[in-house]
Amino acid sequence: MRFNRILLSTTLVVVALVLQVSILARLQLPGAVPDLLLLVVLALALVYGHVSGALIGFGAGLLADLAPPADHAAGRYALVLCVIGYLAGLTKPENGQLRSATGPMVMVVAAAVASTLLYAGVGALVGDTAARHVGLVSLLISAVIYDVLLAPFTVPLIMALARRAENDPLAENTGAGTDVSTGWMASGTGLRIGSQRSGLRIKAARSRAARAGRIKGVKRL
């Protein structure tokens, strides 16, 4: 992994974990807890690919396993996020562009369901039956709802930051709004501003060329 990837991923994971433990876990919402850490891993995997996604997921999950007030076996959530990061990275488009928000939202739903089932399955193997008392169905429904509501405010922003940290040309030139990470929440506004700026630069270059031509004509006379 490149240094920029490591630095950005570590920062985002730590911030997400702090918010997860200090705010989201204390909301006392019915069912599951909004999983900000899962969305961070998912967004980074969609930009960096399956290998980096698996490594980021494992590191993020291990931190979550060790951070208080964790009450489960260490490595349990690391396994879950490692698998989620790997699978999400496999869906990364070859050209790096996501042309609609449908794909990422489907991935959010699938990741919420898969992480809940995998976490409960691993817990059943080690003797943790907490999911049975809460109800697996209610956990699945609430996890999907919370993560889908949180995704539009986190996933596109994290993807845009990851592209800029990579010096990815798609972060600067997205082909008039074809990439969802920059156009998901902006509804094209930022992209139009970018095109206007490029148009002003072209006009300025043309005016300078015309001015230079007039100066040359005067000198010849």
Side-chain angles (χ1 to χ4, degrees):
M1 293 178 67
R2 299 177 183 177
F3 177 75
N4 287 346
R5 290 188 180 185
I6 297 175
L7 181 61
L8 179 64
S9 301
T10 303
T11 303
L12 291 175
V13 166
V14 171
V15 171
L17 182 60
V18 171
L19 294 176
Q20 183 85 30
V21 174
S22 61
I23 298 178
L24 297 179
R26 299 176 182 271
L27 294 178
Q28 296 182 351
L29 296 172
V33 175
D35 200 338
L36 182 59
L37 205 59
L38 173 67
L39 297 179
V40 170
V41 172
L42 182 64
L44 293 176
L46 289 174
V47 177
Y48 294 151
H50 61 282
V51 176
S52 297
L55 293 175
I56 294 170
F58 179 80
L62 189 59
L63 286 177
D65 288 332
L66 299 176
D71 56 354
H72 54 267
R76 181 176 171 184
Y77 201 48
L79 174 62
V80 173
L81 289 186
C82 180
V83 173
I84 296 298
Y86 180 82
L87 295 178
L90 292 176
T91 65
K92 174 188 175 183
E94 294 183 359
N95 60 358
Q97 290 184 339
L98 299 170
R99 298 186 178 276
S100 71
T102 304
M105 292 304 293
V106 171
M107 285 300 304
V108 170
V109 174
V113 173
S115 62
T116 303
L117 292 177
L118 188 57
Y119 187 83
V122 175
L125 293 177
V126 298
D128 184 1
T129 60
R132 297 180 182 177
H133 300 291
V134 178
L136 186 58
V137 176
S138 63
L139 283 176
L140 287 172
I141 295 175
S142 58
V144 170
I145 293 175
Y146 297 152
D147 291 347
V148 167
L149 292 177
L150 190 60
F153 303 100
T154 54
V155 174
L157 177 61
I158 294 171
M159 292 177 67
L161 288 175
R163 290 193 192 284
R164 289 190 177 276
E166 285 283 287
N167 295 322
D168 194 334
L170 289 175
E172 301 295 335
N173 184 11
T174 58
T178 56
D179 186 67
V180 69
S181 64
T182 55
W184 192 348
M185 295 177 61
S187 299
T189 303
L191 300 175
R192 286 197 296 269
I193 292 174
S195 62
Q196 290 173 1
R197 289 179 178 174
S198 62
L200 291 176
R201 291 173 184 171
I202 294 174
K203 289 181 180 179
R206 289 178 179 175
S207 63
R208 286 195 296 269
R211 200 175 301 164
R214 288 196 298 271
I215 293 173
K216 289 181 180 179
V218 172
K219 289 182 177 180
R220 289 176 182 176
L221 293 176

